[in-house]
């Protein structure tokens, strides 16, 4: 798979120009995009392995590490779909890559964009379920939510595969790229925008809810990321004529999709992962204190024999200060939150 400007690539550019299409050749810029995003996902894989190994650490466990793991798999599938169908590589030399229905419908749409955005929306709903309904998001409701999400994705993919290629996507040999059916693109974007609208509704319902940790940041990050991703995908697929032909647009889209997904992932997982690595016990103690202060032990599946009248020692580090704070103005048992104290590291 060459990224150099070969005679074959020059011929492809000239044929496109003859058809009235400005085609930027596949180049080392595309290769650098693949390397950068591949490296990003590689380091996230290492972090994911660490999270799975420490999934019993309660601040991590409540983030539902297995679901976040599936989010990572969806992100990788989406990246492969963007690379194979977004004009970053040549398709003609591989029968698998020429099968645009597979790479677009399954890699890019269903397992990729559809699933990733659905998991973000599901995460938003789980926060609504915990903080608005006051129930733990586990058991039957978790399985039902995942089941409905999975079945809808599989149904969409199967129906798309049964449709003729001319109604979905087909390989264009002259330009060596996938050619999207306009109506099918509209259907996919309607699904993505519907997921964003659902996230917007959930975010609005939770606008006045006091949270325990950084859940409000998660909500606004999810809302903003899905909005930006949906807008840019809509622009590239509906407004820009054959966006994979443009180096600038195809690069901007793939970076937006996957940097956005990565930010969304780390907004959820950063704090407990970092704390588990460097301040495991101190952060856990801080975490328990906040739960007790806000009386959210049941929702976060934490039970302890600690005396609620006992003051917890919270340790403050210069890089991550675990300071006691109150989102409700409540107290920890009969001990006012102002009585909780911090000590210097090493004392």
């Amino acid at each position: 798979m060459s990224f150099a400007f070969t005679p074959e690539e020059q011929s492809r550019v000239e044929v496109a120009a003859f058809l009235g299409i400005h085609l930027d050749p596949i180049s080392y810029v595309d290769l650098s995009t693949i390397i950068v995003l591949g490296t990003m996902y590689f380091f996230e894989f290492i972090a994911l392995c660490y999270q799975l190994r420490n999934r019993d650490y309660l601040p991590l466990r409540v983030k539902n590490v297995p679901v976040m793991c599936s989010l990572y798999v969806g992100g990788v599938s989406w990246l492969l779909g963007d690379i194979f169908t977004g004009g970053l590589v040549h398709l003609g030399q591989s029968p698998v890559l020429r099968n645009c229905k597979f790479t677009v419908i399954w890699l890019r749409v269903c397992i990729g964009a559809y699933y990733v955005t659905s998991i973000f929306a599901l995460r938003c709903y789980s926060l609504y379920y915990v903080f608005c309904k006051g129930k733990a998001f586990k058991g039957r409701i978790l399985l039902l939510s995942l089941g409905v999400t999975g079945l809808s994705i599989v149904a969409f993919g199967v129906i798309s595969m049964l449709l003729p290629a001319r109604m979905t996507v087909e390989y264009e040999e002259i330009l060596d790229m996938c050619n999207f059916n306009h109506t099918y693109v509209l259907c996919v974007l309607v699904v993505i925008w519907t997921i964003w609208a659902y996230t917007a509704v959930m975010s609005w319902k939770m606008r006045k809810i006091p949270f325990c940790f950084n859940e409000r940041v998660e909500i606004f990050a999810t809302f903003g990321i899905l909005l930006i991703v949906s807008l840019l995908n809509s622009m590239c697929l509906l407004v820009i004529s054959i966006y994979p032909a443009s180096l600038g647009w195809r690069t901007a889209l793939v970076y937006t999709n996957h940097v956005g997904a990565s930010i969304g992932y780390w907004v959820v997982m950063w704090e407990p992962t970092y704390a588990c690595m460097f301040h495991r016990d101190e952060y856990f103690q801080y975490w328990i204190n906040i739960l007790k202060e806000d009386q959210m032990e049941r929702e976060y599946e934490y039970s302890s024999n600690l005396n609620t009248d006992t003051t917890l020692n919270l340790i403050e580090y210069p890089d991550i200060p675990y300071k006691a704070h109150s989102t409700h103005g409540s107290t920890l048992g009969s001990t006012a939150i102002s009585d909780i104290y911090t000590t210097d590291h090493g004392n």
Side-chain angles (χ1 to χ4, degrees), residues 48-347:
L48 182 63
C49 290
Y50 179 83
Q51 291 159 3
L52 286 170
R53 184 178 180 182
N54 293 274
R55 62 187 179 276
D56 290 333
Y57 182 59
L58 200 52
L60 276 176
R61 192 173 75 188
V62 297
K63 301 296 185 180
N64 206 324
V65 176
V67 172
M68 299 305 290
C69 177
S70 70
L71 176 66
Y72 173 84
V73 173
V76 172
S77 174
W78 192 3
L79 176 63
L80 293 176
D82 277 346
I83 291 172
F84 297 152
T85 67
L88 279 74
V89 296
H90 296 287
L91 310 180
Q93 298 178 352
S94 171
V96 175
L97 299 186
R98 290 199 302 270
N99 185 359
C100 290
K101 290 191 73 173
F102 170 73
T103 54
V104 169
I105 294 173
W106 289 111
L107 292 182
R108 183 170 180 177
V109 175
C110 291
I111 305 175
Y114 194 165
Y115 184 74
V116 170
T117 53
S118 295
I119 290 298
F120 279 129
L122 186 60
R123 173 67 183 167
C124 193
Y125 175 71
S126 71
L127 295 176
Y128 169 80
Y129 198 81
V130 168
F131 289 98
C132 291
K133 293 190 174 184
K135 300 177 182 179
F137 192 72
K138 63 176 183 177
R140 182 179 300 177
I141 184 63
L142 174 60
L143 294 177
L144 180 62
S145 300
L146 290 174
V148 170
T149 300
L151 287 176
S152 66
I153 292 172
V154 171
F156 187 89
V158 171
I159 293 173
S160 298
M161 291 296 290
L162 292 176
L163 294 173
R166 59 182 174 79
M167 296 181 65
T168 54
V169 60
E170 55 188 346
Y171 175 66
E172 178 59 64
E173 186 174 1
I174 295 177
L175 298 177
D176 190 28
M177 62 176 59
C178 295
N179 182 34
F180 303 91
N181 178 277
H182 187 75
T183 303
Y184 182 72
V185 168
L186 281 175
C187 291
V188 173
L189 290 175
V190 165
V191 171
I192 301 300
W193 277 107
T194 300
I195 294 173
W196 176 82
Y198 176 82
T199 304
V201 171
M202 289 294 101
S203 301
W204 177 257
K205 287 184 176 182
M206 292 185 287
R207 67 191 185 280
K208 296 181 180 179
I209 299 297
F211 295 101
C212 289
F213 301 104
N214 65 338
E215 289 89 354
R216 190 175 302 279
V217 177
E218 292 181 26
I219 291 172
F220 283 112
T222 299
F223 177 85
I225 289 168
L226 290 184
L227 176 60
I228 293 171
V229 168
S230 299
L231 283 173
L232 190 59
N233 276 270
S234 298
M235 179 179 294
C236 287
L237 292 169
L238 297 178
V239 179
I240 307 302
S241 178
I242 315 181
Y243 91 89
S246 168
L247 176 63
W249 282 112
R250 67 182 181 241
T251 302
L253 183 62
V254 72
Y255 270 112
T256 300
N257 287 343
H258 299 285
V259 172
S262 181
I263 291 173
Y265 178 89
W266 283 112
V267 164
V268 177
M269 301 301 293
W270 162 253
E271 183 172 319
T273 301
Y274 183 88
C276 183
M277 293 175 66
F278 299 107
H279 311 305
R280 186 183 184 97
D281 295 334
E282 294 79 11
Y283 181 80
F284 184 62
Q285 195 176 43
Y286 157 84
W287 193 85
I288 294 171
N289 177 72
I290 298 301
L291 292 192
K292 287 180 173 293
E293 174 194 345
D294 295 332
Q295 299 179 355
M296 294 290 288
E297 298 101 314
R298 180 170 60 86
E299 288 78 358
Y300 278 84
E301 305 177 57
Y302 173 74
S303 61
S304 174
N305 294 324
L306 286 174
N307 188 329
T308 56
D309 292 331
T310 301
T311 298
L312 297 177
N313 296 327
L314 301 183
I315 297 178
E316 180 176 339
Y317 289 92
D319 48 352
I320 291 188
Y322 296 126
K323 297 181 179 179
H325 65 279
S326 174
T327 56
H328 299 295
S330 59
T331 62
L332 178 60
S334 60
T335 304
I337 200 68
S338 59
D339 292 335
I340 298 176
Y341 60 91
T342 62
T343 60
D344 293 333
H345 179 49
N347 292 344

Side-chain angles (χ1 to χ4, degrees), residues 2-13 25-26 90:
S2 175
F3 292 89
F5 191 64
T6 62
E8 292 79 8
E9 184 67 1
Q10 181 178 359
S11 176
R12 190 171 76 101
V13 172
I26 294 173
H90 296 287

